[in-house]
Every structure is written in structure tokens, then in C-alpha cells.
Amino acid sequence: MALVLSSYSYYYLIAGIINFTVLSFLLVLLIIHFFRKRTVGTFLLIMTYASVWINEILMTLAFYLEALYPGNENYLKAAQTMQMTGVFFLVYTINWMYFFANRHLIRDNDLFKLLYTSIFSAFVGVAGGLAYYDIYTGDRNNPFWYSIIELAGADFNLNYPPTQGLRLILIGGMFAIGSITYLRLIVRTTRLTRKAKDLVTKKGLRIVSLSILFLWLTGLVLALYIFGANRIPWLSVLVYLFRGMIVITAVILGYLGWIMPEWLRRRLRGKAWIAKVYTGKLPEPPKSKENIEKAPKPITSPTSANQIVEISEQ
Amino acid sequence: MSFLKRLFRQRTKRVTITICGLDNAGKTTIVRYLVAGEYKSTVPTMGVNREVIDLPNLQMDIFDLGGQLDFRGIWPEINEKSDGLVYVVDASDYIRLDESKEIFYNIINAQINPLIPVLILLNKCDLEERLSRIEFINAFDLPSLGNIKWACFVTSAITGEGIYDAFRWFIDAFQE
Amino acid sequence: MKPVSLCLVQMGTKGLELVKVYPNVLPEEILNQIVVKSMPFNAKNGDFASSTIGDAVFSGYIFSVPSENERDNIASLVAVYNNMNYDSNALRKVFAFTIAELKKNNVADIETLTKILPNLYNGLVNGRLKIKISSVITLEFDMQYKDEKDVDLESLNGFGKDLWK
């Protein structure tokens, strides 16, 4: 098997591996946290970010399949199926995030939650079912229920839900539900940020807001391809790299904001008072006369306190 | 090889500190003062509170232990892993001084490593009716501690008096 | 929402102690366990803890008891049920509301709570709370009513328990 790839392809493939590695690492951290806390919240969070991770694996694997086995119809269909599945996993992140957020951020009633997930799943189910049907039975040169976005200069393409005609309703519906969900969450976290009295909670919620914003952008950046960014090879690569960075940032911010590791909590809290005094950033507080009353000479530096105490005890 | 060793060597020393004393002695208030630099009201500690304070080259992992009788059962387990003990005494509580002394010597003799530094804080020095430092040292018979490295400071977690000096001694003891 | 019994537990000098139970229908061994389990380790003001003891289920709201001369104490208001079919969120709101109102009126002390415990029990049974504390203070709470401020507070508290360490 002679592997001759265009130079642009390497950027996508290497970026895919880097994204996959970083996301896997973060997912493992989330799983470790889940086993520590064993709460429904941490489980839903894993499912949210696992969906992003699965999309990344499937997309990268599909690129590799297309690049390694050019012209092989079976591999091509498998790659297309993987890509479409990845897209729907990414879209389903919205649903996981919605249910996760319903634990603390928003309090929708059961009927609303049922309608939400039913309508959302209907969009994903119909779009997915029709796309798979078209991949296996339709004409690849003229796809109807999915779109092929040709990445200029690369040995593979992007597969996406249909972007033309009335079929746009499918992706439009998912986009609208996702946007409303994420916007609600951003508004809610911003409101809570203002109400929180504790500095760590305030800053933590700000990170959470940012992570939701980035999660939203993850889907939005891919839309740049629909508007023609795929036609210029370097721009196409740049958009893909940018998307990768946004995905990684979204998951990192999500991990930091939602989980709030101990080291981050300490960092957000700021240095302890004693550390500030110790490093000279704050003046020393008043000394107790009793601690120094038997000192042979006046205290000139804090290091002498030890000696003075020892002396006074003698 | 030595270069690699130096590269990966832990530069920050991590120490575990336990804060013990009778209930209502002011243990949690002192820890809060160390963090916030001001008096913050507290409620009785349910079991153990943990606080981590980062200093240059030193990280203090502070375990503030609940002082009620029911919680004293967990002290030995935490104290035996401790790198430094802070024992807090309410300077205005004459009545329970003997009880406090008994508990202190129990910790010193049976719970901690005798090589670790022991900081004794005579807290609530802002109150008028209280023991003086000399009276306390005699009452607690502290000179009999022998080889144990100890120091006694008068403190107030309300005004902050003496707290920095006391912990400065403690920090220096770890840095040595 | 009808509890079997309501208990008031506070921190004493030795440890947790039962202040009052109303109605006093629980066996001693269950009561002893409730006292121990009513405030889990690291419990703080505003925490809400649920647990089971044999067939009994209980939920407790932990709160600080302000004191003018000494430091604040910590106590827990516990509702005991004989099954899990009760709305713990609603219970939490009732307890949080009661304590917040008492604190607002500077009467959140153990004596007042001991006195109003029977009324609180009857309020939970009827689904509507109306407790006259003094000639000027009356607590009223409809368990169907949702206060927006409570929702915000719950959201903020929820992070700590579910996710943040």
C-alpha cells in the first residue's frame, strides 16, 4: 500500500491525533472525578464531553480511512458513516448538557424536558436515518440527505447534514435548539455569577459560562465550511485547526469550571493572608507584647521571633 | 543524571499540620485568619476541616480537627501522620485548663512523632480575664517537654495579634 | 409530606445531642442514630443531608445558631419519614425558609425552635405553614410556592455538593 498524501492532508491528520490525545486525557480526568464523587451530575458531564470525544475519534478515523484507502467504495462508505455519526454525537452534546444543566442551572419541569428531548431526538434521528440511507443507497456524486464538503488540497472530505433547500430545516432545527439551550445557560450562569458572594464561586461560574460559549462555537466554526472556507486549501486547514483548538478549549474550560480542581480553587481564592505577609506583600500585623516581653533586644526582623521565644522560655 | 534529578525534584516541601485543642478554643477561627487575614465567625467543626496554604517552597496542608469529645476519637489517626502540631488553648477558660492539659499530653505522648515541631497557641488574648503566657507555661508544665521542639505564643484570632509571629516560627521550623 | 417525627439536634460540648423530638414516637436506638447521622462530616450552614436508618428515612437541614456572647453553634432540623415518598426539595425549602425568617427576626435560637417544633410538624402535615412566634412575628409558607431567590440559592449550593470538591 503506497501512501501518497497531499501535504495539506497531514495537517488534518496530525491535528486529529493531537485533538484525540488531549480530549482522551481530559475525559480520563473526568472519569477519575466521577469515581471519586459518584454523582449523577458528574456522570452527565462525562456523557457530555464523551460525545465531543467520540466525534473527534470518528472524524479522525474517517479521514485516515479515506486517505489510506482512496477509491475503495466500502471504506469510503464506512468513513462517511463514521463522520455522520460523529456529527450527530457532537449535536447530541447539547442534549446531555441540557440535562446536566437541569440539575443546578435551570429547573425545567418534567413535561418541558420530555418535549425537549423528544423534539431534539426526532431531529437527530430523522437527519441521521435519512443520511445513512442516502450513504448506502444514494448517488455519491449527488447526495440528497447529506452534504459533502470538499476540503481543497486534502485527500478526504467532510460529510455534513444537508445544507441546501428545505432539507436545511434539519440542521437548522438542531442549530436553533442548541443555540437556545446554550444561550439560556450562558444567561443563567452570568446571572448566578452576579449573585454569588464568594469569590471562588464567582470566578468558577465565569469559567463555566466561557466553557458553554466555546462548546457552542465548536459547532459554529464548522459552519464556516458551508460558507466556502473549504475552497481555499490553507484557509480550510486553518479553520480545521481553529476548530480543534476551540474543542480543546471548551473541554478544558468545562473540566476546570464544572469540576473545579483543588489547585484551581486555591488559585482563584488568591494567596492566603499569611503567604502575603510572609512574602512582604502585606505589612506584619501587631505583635503581642507577651510574646516579646522578655526579649533581650528589640525585634528587627520576623526571623528573630523564634529565637526570642526560645530565650523567653529559658 | 544529577541534572535530571534536580529537574524533577520536588521544590515545594509539603507538610501536614494538625490543629487540635478543646472545643471552642478558636482553632477554626485561627485557620480562617491565616487565610483571610481577618476575623470570620465560625460554627463548631463537624469532624475535620481541611485548608491548604501555599507559601514559597512550602505547602501547608492544615487539618483543623473538631474539638468535641465525640470527634477526639479520630485525632490519633490524623496526628500520627502529622508533620507539625498546633495546639490551641482558650486563655480565658480556667475551668477546662486541666482537661486541655491532659489532652495535650495525650497527644504528645501517644499520638505524634516526637520529632515534629509543636506550636502552642494561648488564644483569645484580647479578653481581659485570661491566663498570662508565663502562668500558662507553668500550668501546662511546658518546660518538661524535654527534647520536643516547641514554642508558645499568645494569640488572638479576632485582632490577629501574635498569629503571624507564631506561624512564622512554625514555618521556619519546617524550612530548617 | 407527613413526617413521622421532627427532631432538633445541636452541637453540645461533647458532640451532637438531641434537643427535642416531636411527636416522640421513635425508638431510642433510631433516635440515637439520627443524632449521629443528622450532621455528616464537614457539614456546614445551609447543607441538607438525607440518610436511612433501617426502614426510616430522614432529611436534615443544617444551620448555624447565632449567639451574641459566644460563637455561633451548629444545629440540624430533621424530618423522619417511614418511606421515601416525600419531596425532599420542598422539605428543604420549608426548613430553609423557617430558619431564614427566624434569623431575620433575631429569634433563631434553640429555645424558639424547640417551642415551634410542634407547629412546624403540623405545618408539614397540612402542607401550609403558619407559625405565630410573637405578637409581631408570624411565619407563613405555602409549600406549592416557589421563590425565585430560593432557586438561585439552590443552584449555587448544588455545585458544591454535586461537582465542586
Side-chain angles (χ1 to χ4, degrees), chain A residues 137-167:
Chain A
T137 61
D139 176 12
R140 193 181 126 69
N141 295 320
N142 191 21
F144 191 79
W145 289 112
Y146 69 99
S147 305
I148 296 175
I149 297 169
E150 287 177 12
L151 299 172
D155 297 293
F156 31 75
N157 301 313
L158 265 182
N159 291 270
Y160 216 65
T163 52
Q164 285 104 28
L166 266 181
R167 290 155 288 163

Side-chain angles (χ1 to χ4, degrees), chain C residues 61-73:
Chain C
Y61 181 75
I62 295 133
F63 59 98
S64 60
V65 184
S67 170
E68 274 185 25
N69 305 319
E70 295 169 350
R71 73 162 161 176
D72 296 353
N73 199 359

Side-chain angles (χ1 to χ4, degrees), chain C residues 20-161:
Chain C
K20 186 174 178 164
V21 53
Y22 180 87
N24 195 354
V25 289
L26 295 169
E28 187 125 344
E29 56 270 27
I30 298 258
L31 276 176
N32 290 339
Q33 285 198 56
I34 286 174
V35 171
V36 177
K37 287 186 171 180
S38 63
M39 275 188 250
F41 258 36
N42 283 320
K44 285 178 181 64
N45 181 34
D47 284 358
F48 189 74
S50 295
S51 187
T52 57
I53 298 164
D55 293 335
V57 189
F58 71 87
S59 294
Y61 181 75
I62 295 133
F63 59 98
S64 60
V65 184
S67 170
E68 274 185 25
N69 305 319
E70 295 169 350
R71 73 162 161 176
D72 296 353
N73 199 359
I74 192 163
S76 177
L77 203 49
V78 183
V80 188
Y81 294 86
N82 50 17
N83 59 51
M84 288 196 175
N85 299 330
Y86 68 98
D87 185 350
S88 58
N89 270 336
L91 185 73
R92 181 190 181 141
K93 278 192 195 101
V94 175
F95 284 170
F97 167 81
T98 308
I99 301 301
E101 285 297 305
L102 293 177
K103 280 185 179 172
K104 211 194 287 174
N105 293 294
N106 292 322
V107 285
D109 49 63
I110 293 297
E111 291 76 42
T112 310
L113 276 159
T114 311
K115 264 189 234 168
I116 68 164
L117 207 62
N119 304 52
L120 197 56
Y121 174 82
N122 293 329
L124 285 173
V125 171
N126 301 327
R128 195 179 170 81
L129 201 70
K130 191 168 183 180
I131 306 169
K132 194 170 181 182
I133 293 164
S134 69
S135 56
V136 282
I137 310 166
T138 304
L139 300 187
E140 272 192 278
F141 189 88
D142 186 342
M143 280 162 215
Q144 302 304 314
Y145 172 73
K146 274 193 177 181
D147 189 359
E148 209 172 300
K149 278 181 190 168
D150 287 348
V151 176
D152 286 349
L153 200 66
E154 270 177 37
S155 295
L156 289 171
N157 287 336
F159 279 99
K161 289 196 192 74

